[in-house]
Amino acid sequence: MNKQLLLNWLKETNPQRLKKLWQSADETRKKNVGDEVHLRGLLEISNYCVRECTYCGINSAQTKIERYRMAETEIIECVQKAVNFGYGTVVIQGGEDYGLTTECIANIVQKIKHKTSLAVTLSLGERPFKDLRIWRKAGADRYLLRFETSDYKLYKVIHPQSTKTNRDRFVILKELEQLSYEVGSGIMIGIPGQSYASLANDIYLFGEMDLDMVGVGPYIPHPNTPLGSRQITFDINSQDQVPNTEEMTYKVVALTRLVCPQANIPSTTALASLNKINGRELGLTRGANVVMPNITSPIYRTKYEIYPNKACLNETAEQCQNCIHARISMLGRTIGNGHGNRKR
Ligand code: SAH
């Protein structure tokens, strides 16, 4: 699909034609990755962060939140839940927190790989090549790092150069590929200043980069951030600005499936936060094949507030597990077994 076609779809408003897009994405999903929905247990291990991402509620300038960093024993306890629930993967996510040392993450990865048969995905920000290499050696299978937007100017505005360790995310994604991780990236939809043309380019790049995993979700303003409180403004024509709506999110999920037929694509929590009734299900029937149930204990979960009004915020891992199982079986889909690696 070329950029012009992607752009046309992003601007499409005709319900009949959009129905065709949903159908086409759903068929492509079924043909390439089947009816299995893979579950990845998401563990939010730390909300400390050195970055000042202007959209994110846990950025380092944020003084109103209480910071936490889970101890290794707590992490291993939560990982055991993923095993008990039959999940094939655990996703270890956090702020870019150098208090999570190279060695401490390597030890945790090694322990999980030794004690369980889970695939391990890391999502810990723009860490140096050395860390990525050591963690891969320790057994980590996958790494998630969204490039957020391919519009370089917008990227600079929403990611102030706060520390010397800022790295180019596209370079890191290449490094991850060289280290033979399964590589995941993605974007937010409807960030202020995001144009339709740049969003079409983002989706085009997903295909060019041949990503193994692609996560896309709506931008949700956090009132205590520079972007959410409108301290930063953009001079963009209102017709060019992408809205951060539910429908736009489905368009991006569906188009992502069409450009990356074999990729693992989650129906994200941010999408479920916009439509708590059936956002997850609609994502799954418009291109997605993965769900990431949260396995973080409620005491920490509420503190990992990257955006407000998150779906499932006060639920326990057990509640998330039951709810997600029920939603998937209602769709007539099955729960995936094993690691659920990228199909080739
Ligand atoms: N520190 C890690 C993990 C960040 S949280 C990293 O930098 O990769 C994971 C994702 O949440 C981010 O990549 C971003 O796309 C998304 N996110 C952050 N703030 C958000 C907001 N206000 N609305 C929607 N998504 C947000």
Side-chain angles (χ1 to χ4, degrees):
M1 218 188 282
N2 64 34
K3 287 184 200 171
Q4 187 57 50
L5 201 54
L6 289 167
L7 188 59
N8 295 349
W9 275 120
L10 292 174
K11 292 197 167 173
E12 183 59 68
T13 53
N14 179 307
Q16 294 310 320
R17 281 203 287 270
L18 283 174
K19 210 168 152 199
K20 287 248 157 64
L21 177 62
W22 314 145
Q23 279 169 353
S24 164
D26 200 39
E27 281 161 20
T28 306
R29 184 271 307 156
K30 192 175 168 73
K31 190 166 150 235
N32 288 277
V33 293
D35 277 339
E36 292 190 328
V37 177
H38 297 287
L39 301 181
R40 326 290 204 197
L42 175 65
L43 188 52
E44 298 154 337
I45 63 169
S46 166
N47 69 354
Y48 281 92
C49 192
V50 298
R51 296 271 173 248
E52 284 177 33
C53 308
T54 55
Y55 47 85
C56 183
I58 64 165
N59 76 41
S60 64
Q62 197 60 261
T63 50
K64 293 197 179 122
I65 56 167
E66 203 183 312
R67 303 282 172 173
Y68 72 90
R69 183 180 297 126
M70 289 174 68
E72 185 186 298
T73 49
E74 291 177 299
I75 294 174
I76 300 294
E77 251 170 53
C78 282
V79 168
Q80 192 53 45
K81 287 195 180 154
V83 175
N84 299 346
F85 295 152
Y87 300 164
T89 300
V90 65
V91 180
I92 301 214
Q93 188 176 79
E96 194 170 315
D97 172 17
Y98 290 88
L100 298 168
T101 62
T102 318
E103 295 70 33
C104 118
I105 295 295
N107 280 335
I108 290 165
V109 171
Q110 250 163 8
K111 282 218 170 106
I112 299 173
K113 295 303 287 187
H114 182 70
K115 287 190 176 177
T116 76
S117 55
L118 294 172
V120 175
T121 303
L122 299 177
S123 176
L124 299 168
E126 300 167 20
R127 302 284 299 224
F129 180 79
K130 179 181 125 257
D131 291 4
L132 304 175
R133 182 168 44 79
I134 291 173
W135 297 341
R136 176 80 185 113
K137 251 189 142 173
D141 303 277
R142 311 183 185 127
Y143 203 96
L144 299 177
L145 184 71
R146 291 185 177 180
F147 62 77
E148 316 292 3
T149 171
S150 62
D151 174 342
Y152 185 67
K153 264 172 73 185
L154 176 59
Y155 185 89
K156 291 282 252 191
V157 176
I158 63 177
H159 298 101
Q161 193 84 19
S162 50
T163 67
K164 288 199 189 87
T165 55
N166 266 71
R167 302 184 64 211
D168 182 319
R169 293 196 172 201
F170 288 102
V171 171
I172 301 177
L173 291 167
K174 270 269 161 252
E175 291 174 355
L176 291 166
E177 201 183 322
Q178 281 157 10
L179 291 167
S180 71
Y181 277 96
E182 276 199 7
V183 181
S185 194
I187 51 141
M188 281 176 290
I189 298 149
I191 322 162
Q194 184 183 51
S195 68
Y196 281 90
S198 82
L199 181 56
N201 193 51
D202 296 342
I203 301 167
Y204 182 76
L205 281 177
F206 295 159
E208 287 287 287
M209 294 164 77
D210 190 26
L211 292 169
D212 301 310
M213 304 168 283
V214 189
V216 297
Y219 160 69
I220 302 175
H222 190 302
N224 296 337
T225 59
L227 209 58
S229 63
R230 294 167 190 264
Q231 273 174 50
I232 305 176
T233 49
F234 295 86
D235 118 54
I236 179 169
N237 194 319
S238 65
Q239 279 147 359
D240 289 337
Q241 170 68 51
V242 174
N244 58 340
T245 56
E246 197 186 335
E247 181 171 273
M248 188 56 67
T249 307
Y250 299 131
K251 288 183 187 174
V252 180
V253 170
L255 294 167
T256 300
R257 173 57 66 199
L258 297 178
V259 299
C260 299
Q262 303 156 325
N264 283 317
I265 302 175
S267 183
T268 58
T269 303
L271 170 58
S273 304
L274 287 194
N275 173 355
K276 293 185 171 127
I277 312 228
N278 65 348
R280 275 273 192 225
E281 286 88 334
L282 289 172
L284 286 171
T285 52
R286 295 172 176 182
N289 71 320
V290 167
V291 174
M292 297 164 70
N294 204 317
I295 54 169
T296 315
S297 338
I299 47 158
Y300 294 131
R301 196 185 288 210
T302 50
K303 298 190 170 88
Y304 196 79
E305 197 196 48
I306 51 182
Y307 52 82
N309 298 317
K310 237 188 193 180
C312 329
L313 193 63
N314 292 306
E315 280 167 27
T316 62
E318 287 74 13
Q319 285 167 326
C320 280
Q321 145 81 351
N322 291 331
C323 165
I324 283 175
H325 265 258
R327 286 174 191 262
I328 292 168
S329 55
M330 293 274 279
L331 291 175
R333 303 266 284 275
T334 55
I335 307 284
N337 287 317
H339 285 183
N341 287 333
R342 185 248 169 101
K343 292 232 160 62
R344 292 210 180 255

